[in-house]
Amino acid sequence: MELVHPGVVALDASMDDDSQTNLIVNYLPQTMSQDDIRTLFSSLGELESCKLIRDKTTGMSLGYGFVNYKRPEDAMKAINSLNGLRLQNKTIKASRRASASSATTKETKRRRRLST
């Protein structure tokens, strides 16, 4: 990820397409529905998918979700436009979703540090 100027992120050509279009959105208000999230994020580009994560027992929102854009440029526009947006009593965080391989690498490094 490359910072263009404080708070604005540019595309990184070394990343694969999925890592450039998949976003995780944290700190969503409990009252937001999946349709609300889809409406908000689709205003910045065409979505491949949108998923609000809910508690399996209660069905209540857990306050985060995933948004996948069709184009990396739209994902970056969403991050730059919506990250830090104040909604109700929450300030949402929109960022690229870590790929499974980078999460695995981080976990491997953590385990190595703990075992020494």
Side-chain angles (χ1 to χ4, degrees):
M1 187 170 6
E2 176 185 337
L3 287 175
V4 176
H5 60 78
V8 176
V9 180
L11 293 175
D12 183 346
S14 67
M15 299 178 87
D16 63 22
D17 277 350
D18 269 357
S19 65
Q20 290 191 29
T21 58
N22 284 316
L23 306 182
I24 182 167
V25 186
N26 294 295
Y27 311 114
L28 293 168
Q30 289 271 288
T31 57
M32 279 192 86
S33 69
Q34 186 159 312
D35 286 339
D36 293 336
I37 296 166
R38 180 176 299 279
T39 300
L40 177 64
F41 281 84
S42 67
S43 70
L44 296 165
E46 190 175 358
L47 299 182
E48 187 77 39
S49 62
C50 177
K51 175 86 173 153
L52 175 66
I53 306 304
R54 298 179 177 278
D55 181 276
K56 291 180 183 179
T57 307
T58 65
M60 296 291 295
S61 168
L62 293 177
Y64 73 100
F66 300 98
V67 176
N68 187 12
Y69 281 92
K70 290 194 174 190
R71 297 174 356 116
E73 299 81 13
D74 294 336
M76 289 312 307
K77 189 180 352 173
I79 291 171
N80 291 327
S81 299
L82 300 177
N83 186 46
L85 178 69
R86 187 104 173 129
L87 292 175
Q88 298 167 22
N89 61 340
K90 301 275 189 166
T91 302
I92 69 169
K93 178 183 175 191
S95 58
R96 286 190 181 127
R97 181 177 178 187
S99 66
S101 61
S102 77
T104 302
T105 302
K106 287 178 185 176
E107 180 61 18
T108 301
K109 287 179 182 177
R110 185 186 72 79
R111 286 183 183 167
R112 284 183 189 149
R113 279 195 313 269
L114 291 175
S115 66
T116 56

